[in-house]
Amino acid sequence: IPGQQWVGVQELLMKNGDKTYRKPRKNLSVFSGLVKCGVCGENMRPKIHRPDSDAFSYVCQKKENSKCSLCNNKNIPGEHFDKTMIEFIWKAVEERKGVFDELIKVIDGVMEDHNEQKENEINAFENSLSKNRHAITNLIDKLKYIDAPAISEDILNEVKKLKEKNQQLEKRIDLLSQTKKQTDQYKNTAAMFQTIVSHNLNLLDSLDIQEKREFIRLLIEKIVVNGQDVAIYFLGNSSS
């Protein structure tokens, strides 16, 4: 990205360098969490200019916390940065469309296999859970007909062990279910990505902030900004 595109806005931002920034109330930044300071390596977080404004800038966290004593990297105008980055990334996607199509097919296949494996594990754990519950019911029924305290104690200990096993099984089922749900979300995002790549940038513009973030995170590892220089690191590749 040519440095001269940033000079004007950087000079304007430097005039306002002493102002206090706050996190955007509406979470407007598309690249939040991906922008890194090229001077010190810290995150550059989105901050609004005024409480009554939606305009924001990306500001180095170390610079802000140290009041510029530990980092002097320039602030980045958020809306302009996001728009420019999306256009640049989209151009890169169009140039590599065939590669991305193949990548999506691979991702989709891996996720499908992953989900099938998790589904099988969940079914196995639920089957064990059902058997244990049935065993607990039978053991408790036996207590009605046993007068010997020692045997009753053994049965209660066995019930306790089964309940502890069930607690572990329930935790595993819950964890697997959450993982499967997350994989489903990734699949939906991948499908959305494929649709966008197959059409045009206008479809990307129609997405909300969260959907744009999910799309971008399928492509970008990080964006490093050092003054006028911007380096975009695509996942699995070097910077552009």
Side-chain angles (χ1 to χ4, degrees):
I1 301 173
Q4 58 266 29
Q5 293 182 13
W6 299 96
V7 174
V9 291
Q10 296 293 354
E11 290 176 350
L12 177 62
L13 284 168
M14 287 302 293
K15 295 178 182 178
N16 298 319
D18 295 331
K19 293 182 180 179
T20 299
Y21 291 86
R22 303 181 184 180
K23 291 184 179 179
R25 294 162 296 168
K26 296 182 181 180
N27 227 358
L28 298 173
S29 59
V30 175
F31 294 92
S32 178
L34 294 178
V35 186
K36 307 292 181 182
C37 176
V39 175
C40 68
E42 288 287 334
N43 286 333
M44 298 190 73
R45 303 185 186 278
K47 303 288 179 179
I48 62 171
H49 297 172
R50 300 185 309 274
D52 60 345
S53 170
D54 288 335
F56 70 96
S57 294
Y58 290 97
V59 183
C60 172
Q61 192 70 12
K62 181 175 286 189
K63 172 186 175 179
E64 184 182 32
N65 291 341
S66 68
K67 298 182 180 179
C68 300
S69 64
L70 298 179
C71 182
N72 62 353
N73 200 5
K74 295 180 180 180
N75 302 337
I76 311 169
E79 292 177 84
H80 176 73
F81 179 84
D82 284 5
K83 183 176 184 295
T84 303
M85 289 298 100
I86 287 174
E87 290 175 353
F88 182 86
I89 291 167
W90 181 257
K91 182 179 179 182
V93 168
E94 287 185 320
E95 291 174 351
R96 301 172 176 87
K97 184 177 181 300
V99 175
F100 285 121
D101 283 342
E102 290 301 315
L103 177 61
I104 289 298
K105 290 179 183 178
V106 172
I107 292 174
D108 192 55
V110 170
M111 288 182 176
E112 192 65 39
D113 292 341
H114 181 269
N115 258 7
E116 184 177 352
Q117 178 186 352
K118 296 305 176 188
E119 188 67 38
N120 290 337
E121 291 181 30
I122 289 173
N123 290 337
F125 286 140
E126 287 181 340
N127 186 46
S128 297
L129 187 63
S130 178
K131 288 180 178 178
N132 287 348
R133 286 171 175 167
H134 185 67
I136 289 172
T137 300
N138 289 339
L139 288 170
I140 291 175
D141 285 341
K142 286 182 180 179
L143 285 175
K144 300 175 184 178
Y145 308 103
I146 296 175
D147 293 329
I151 297 177
S152 296
E153 185 176 351
D154 288 341
I155 291 176
L156 289 173
N157 286 334
E158 184 63 25
V159 169
K160 182 180 178 181
K161 290 178 182 178
L162 288 170
K163 286 185 175 181
E164 289 174 350
K165 287 181 180 179
N166 280 358
Q167 288 178 348
Q168 294 301 316
L169 287 170
E170 288 170 349
K171 288 180 181 179
R172 292 294 302 276
I173 291 171
D174 183 58
L175 180 61
L176 287 169
S177 297
Q178 290 179 21
T179 303
K180 185 175 178 295
K181 182 179 179 180
Q182 188 176 47
T183 303
D184 288 336
Q185 291 174 342
Y186 287 151
K187 285 187 66 178
N188 291 337
T189 302
M192 175 186 70
F193 174 87
Q194 193 167 28
T195 300
I196 291 171
V197 170
S198 299
H199 292 78
N200 52 54
L201 184 59
N202 291 332
L203 186 55
L204 179 59
D205 288 337
S206 70
L207 302 179
D208 61 30
I209 290 294
Q210 186 57 39
E211 289 171 334
K212 286 181 180 178
R213 285 178 177 174
E214 291 173 358
F215 173 80
I216 293 298
R217 278 159 177 72
L218 283 172
L219 300 169
I220 304 302
E221 178 185 350
K222 62 182 177 180
I223 300 175
V224 179
V225 182
N226 186 349
Q228 299 172 16
D229 300 321
V230 180
I232 302 174
Y233 290 78
F234 288 85
L235 288 171
N237 291 284
S238 58
S239 63
S240 296

